[in-house]
Amino acid sequence: MIEKTLKDVKGLISVSIGEIPPDLILENAEILDVFSGSTFKGSIWVYKSWIAYVGERKPIIGDGTIVVDTKGYLAVPGYIDAHGHADLFYNPSTFADFVVTKGATTVFSDAHDMINSIGVEGFIEVLKMGDKFAVKFLWGVPAAYPPYPEIEGGELFSVHDVWNLFAHYKECASISELSPYVRVLNNEDNILERILMARSLSKNVEGHTLGASYDKLNTLAAAGITSCHESIRESDLRNRVRLGLYTMIRHSSIRSDFEKLCPVINSLPVDSMMLVSDGVFAGDLLEKGYMDHVIKKAIDFGLDPVVAIKMSTLNPARYFRIDGDVGSISPGRVADILLLEDIRRPTPVKVIENGRLIADEGSLKIKSAPFPEIGNKYNPYVFKHVEKSEFSIDWNGEKTIPVIDIVDRTVTRRIDVPVALDEKCIMPQRDKDIRKIFYTRREKKKWGRGFVRGIGADIGGFASSIAHETHGLLVFGFDDDDMRIAANTVLEMGGGIVFADKGSILYALSLPNGATMSNLSISELAEELKRGNKIFKAKGSALDDPLWTVGFLTFTSIVELRITVSGVYDVRKGMIVF
């Protein structure tokens, strides 16, 4: 948040008591009081970045005072996303430029994708840019990435790395979502000492407790988990609230839990509940919006509008212990104020952030802050090219092989199919949509090999540096030459996504920032991703978002089979099966 000096506090007092004029006055407003849940008429006086006075008094107006007549508008606090992702495909700068126009003024971004792709040193370069972005960012710091180091190629972060970020950068507010919660239940020292350190520094610990029973949640809460955004059933919501976990209800591009859970919210105290995005794709940002859309959908599913806004302003501010800075329209807080035409239409007409008019009628009114030019400097690929021969898979004598079978956008299952052989090599089966899949990390070329069914697109080779969560190099295909072309083109670009077929490149998207993030605007990026998915579908894929699905096949915290550097991993069994 923005630090006040003694001079700032004295200025605030002088404005509040009427000795000097405000810099900005919003007069004749209907103001939402998120503390009481009521509205009242009045004016808001702003000094520099902060609110100096809220009430009915008439201020002194100076030569430099900007007066805005807000009659007919409802003033509400700037929205806070308590669990978002601002660092995959887009980068935090382009993301902030867009979402602030939709009313988000503070975003907690779980930074494990970005830190995994640009390293701790690269992330520190981003932290140094923090006050230049269009929104205020809080960040989640990975404690255990990859989730299962012994399977996924080794731990990326030391305890010292985590401590250094927490101790020296106040914007680092929490441990990132802890997807391998089984390690906590197993009482592993490595993960527990990081949780303990975070709590000792008054940092939160984000849970990712999908599928955890009431008894397991008890243990996780006892270990120090402070929140969870994975409630998908009524019992999930009630269990987390009862056990003292701050409970986040999401409406994201991956899934929405609102239809089932919003009616349940009305029967529970809401002080420890929040509405969150948990990641919105570029196309959905463009077509639907951000937290304004989240709030609107909650209202559509039966949530009281005032409650929905409180769950997206005051409640997350209290959770992150920044309610003295943001989350309400009250004296001493940062002047993050949205002007709405109607409380049931949460997309703002005007956005005031840090006391400045930053967006009007959906248009950004400030100069964009560029993302730091870090490329892959802090987490480079140690190899520059791959050979066709690297994509052969030797037969081990088994009659069948386990295949990763795609069920939906993120979930897979295991199927076992008879092997197809060419001498002593296992072959893909194009007629059955069974193709090879390879994965390696950046710092050491070690291929994990397997087979996957369900992508559907009849494309010879596909490669991507988007591989949640370690973001190495992911290669698929029916044809070894096309796989080589796709992989080498990704490496030449410094990261990205490439389709190759019959020796030609069909599609290439450059991701120059950490090999995971673009410099394109949200609208440009949405169009490029749409184009890639359209090619996939034209070639036969039935997946609704193929690029997202294939990039998640490395995520070892969702059932059932995943590709890792060690091979095909069975999440339920906790073992390599191929």
Side-chain angles (χ1 to χ4, degrees):
M1 298 300 110
I2 305 170
E3 299 288 343
K4 296 188 187 84
T5 65
L6 177 61
K7 183 178 179 181
D8 293 329
V9 175
K10 291 176 74 66
L12 270 171
I13 293 170
S14 296
V15 171
S16 183
I17 63 180
E19 286 184 347
I20 61 174
D23 297 317
L24 171 67
I25 301 168
L26 304 179
E27 60 180 15
N28 302 318
E30 188 80 16
I31 303 166
L32 176 62
D33 172 13
V34 289
F35 298 106
S36 68
S38 62
T39 62
F40 63 96
K41 294 186 184 299
S43 294
I44 304 166
W45 306 355
V46 177
Y47 170 72
K48 292 187 176 180
S49 296
W50 301 278
I51 298 169
Y53 174 83
V54 183
E56 298 181 355
R57 279 178 32 224
K58 299 295 181 183
I60 299 172
I61 297 177
D63 293 339
T65 302
I66 298 171
V67 181
V68 179
D69 186 356
T70 57
K71 187 176 182 179
Y73 292 110
L74 175 67
V76 304
Y79 303 140
I80 302 171
D81 186 359
H83 188 89
H85 294 273
D87 57 1
L88 200 56
F89 288 111
Y90 35 65
N91 68 65
S93 178
T94 54
F95 173 85
D97 286 350
F98 185 85
V99 302
V100 76
T101 68
K102 304 298 181 180
T105 54
T106 303
V107 174
F108 170 83
S109 183
D110 202 318
H112 58 255
D113 283 308
M114 181 165 58
I115 298 177
N116 287 352
S117 65
I118 64 175
V120 173
E121 291 179 85
F123 181 56
I124 289 172
E125 293 300 310
V126 176
L127 293 175
K128 292 175 182 177
M129 290 281 293
D131 62 348
K132 296 179 176 62
F133 294 133
V135 303
K136 290 172 282 297
F137 278 115
L138 300 173
W139 300 101
V141 175
Y145 289 97
Y148 300 99
E150 70 281 5
I151 296 294
E152 298 181 78
E155 183 67 72
L156 284 168
F157 307 109
S158 68
V159 173
H160 181 267
D161 288 330
V162 180
W163 174 84
N164 181 52
L165 290 171
F166 280 149
H168 296 105
Y169 300 94
K170 62 183 184 300
E171 301 90 345
C172 295
S174 185
I175 288 286
S176 292
E177 56 184 289
L178 207 57
S179 56
Y181 68 80
V182 172
R183 295 176 60 190
V184 177
L185 299 176
N186 290 340
N187 230 351
E188 291 186 21
D189 289 358
N190 182 276
I191 197 76
L192 295 179
E193 66 181 356
R194 296 169 190 230
I195 293 174
L196 188 62
M197 178 188 62
R199 301 297 291 130
S200 72
L201 294 171
S202 299
K203 305 296 183 179
N204 296 334
V205 180
E206 308 307 313
H208 184 284
T209 60
L210 180 65
S213 66
Y214 181 80
D215 288 344
K216 288 179 179 177
L217 286 170
N218 265 271
T219 304
L220 294 169
I225 303 295
T226 58
S227 77
C228 183
H229 60 278
E230 291 289 345
S231 294
I232 61 175
R233 294 176 291 270
E234 177 180 342
S235 59
D236 294 336
L237 186 60
R238 294 187 182 278
N239 288 344
R240 285 157 177 77
V241 170
R242 178 181 296 173
L243 291 169
L245 294 172
Y246 271 81
T247 305
M248 301 169 180
I249 302 95
R250 98 189 117 192
H251 184 75
S252 76
S253 292
I254 301 174
R255 65 171 296 132
S256 172
D257 307 304
F258 277 7
E259 187 170 6
K260 287 184 179 179
L261 298 184
C262 282
V264 184
I265 294 171
N266 293 324
S267 66
L268 293 169
V270 300
D271 286 348
S272 65
M273 290 190 281
M274 296 167 275
L275 304 181
V276 301
S277 76
D278 191 26
V280 183
F281 303 160
D284 286 341
L285 282 175
L286 196 65
E287 294 173 17
K288 299 172 183 177
Y290 188 51
M291 287 304 294
D292 56 325
H293 178 65
V294 171
I295 295 166
K296 176 65 166 59
K297 294 305 291 185
I299 295 169
D300 290 346
F301 284 118
L303 213 57
D304 179 271
V306 173
V307 171
I309 290 175
K310 180 178 179 178
M311 290 173 68
S312 308
T313 55
L314 183 61
N315 287 8
R318 284 175 166 169
Y319 172 62
F320 287 112
R321 294 178 290 279
I322 54 173
D323 50 307
D325 295 300
V326 295
S328 64
I329 298 176
S330 50
R333 275 62 170 188
V334 175
D336 289 348
I337 303 161
L338 313 179
L339 298 180
L340 311 182
E341 291 181 320
D342 189 301
I343 196 169
R344 291 185 171 274
R345 298 200 302 273
T347 303
V349 177
K350 297 181 188 295
V351 179
I352 291 131
E353 189 263 352
N354 286 358
R356 57 187 176 166
L357 179 65
I358 198 169
D360 193 2
E361 299 285 353
S363 296
L364 190 68
K365 295 299 180 184
I366 64 164
K367 185 178 180 181
S368 177
F371 192 72
E373 294 183 5
I374 52 180
N376 293 326
K377 179 167 59 173
Y378 299 111
N379 190 18
Y381 288 89
V382 297
F383 53 99
K384 302 303 180 185
H385 67 278
V386 300
E387 302 292 344
K388 173 183 174 179
S389 59
E390 296 177 48
F391 298 122
S392 64
I393 301 178
D394 293 336
W395 184 42
N396 61 3
E398 297 291 334
K399 301 296 184 183
T400 62
I401 52 171
V403 172
I404 303 166
D405 188 37
I406 295 170
V407 175
D408 61 21
R409 184 172 275 180
T410 57
V411 174
T412 68
R413 65 181 177 181
R414 172 175 175 161
I415 60 170
D416 290 87
V417 302
V419 296
L421 296 175
D422 179 6
E423 295 181 351
K424 291 295 183 179
C425 291
I426 306 176
M427 302 302 292
Q429 300 176 49
R430 203 162 193 155
D431 60 327
K432 297 179 181 177
D433 188 30
I434 297 172
R435 72 195 75 203
K436 298 177 184 180
I437 180 172
F438 288 75
Y439 182 63
T440 183
R441 291 246 298 244
R442 302 183 189 190
E443 72 279 9
K444 181 181 180 182
K445 194 200 295 184
K446 176 193 173 186
W447 291 110
R449 298 167 171 83
F451 291 86
V452 60
R453 185 182 78 165
I455 294 175
D458 188 11
I459 296 173
F462 166 88
S464 174
S465 54
I466 295 284
H468 190 69
E469 295 178 2
T470 52
H471 301 296
L473 182 62
L474 188 58
V475 188
F476 307 79
F478 298 117
D479 183 270
D480 294 353
D481 268 322
D482 288 333
M483 293 167 68
R484 174 187 58 81
I485 291 168
N488 285 332
T489 305
V490 168
L491 292 170
E492 288 164 11
M493 293 193 302
I497 298 171
V498 174
F499 310 161
D501 194 50
K502 297 180 177 63
S504 298
I505 293 174
L506 303 181
Y507 173 82
L509 171 65
S510 175
L511 298 171
N513 302 307
T516 57
M517 296 173 283
S518 169
N519 284 323
L520 298 175
S521 69
I522 295 297
S523 59
E524 292 169 332
L525 179 61
E527 189 60 36
E528 274 300 303
L529 293 172
K530 181 179 178 180
R531 187 170 71 87
N533 279 326
K534 187 176 180 180
I535 293 171
F536 248 121
K537 293 178 182 181
K539 289 287 188 177
S541 179
L543 297 172
D544 66 334
D545 193 334
L547 291 179
W548 185 262
T549 297
V550 296
F552 246 66
L553 289 174
T554 49
F555 185 35
T556 54
S557 293
I558 300 179
V559 292
E560 177 174 10
L561 296 189
R562 301 283 145 177
I563 186 69
T564 73
V565 295
S566 300
V568 177
Y569 177 68
D570 187 316
V571 174
R572 293 188 195 276
K573 295 179 179 178
M575 61 183 291
I576 295 295
V577 295
F578 184 80

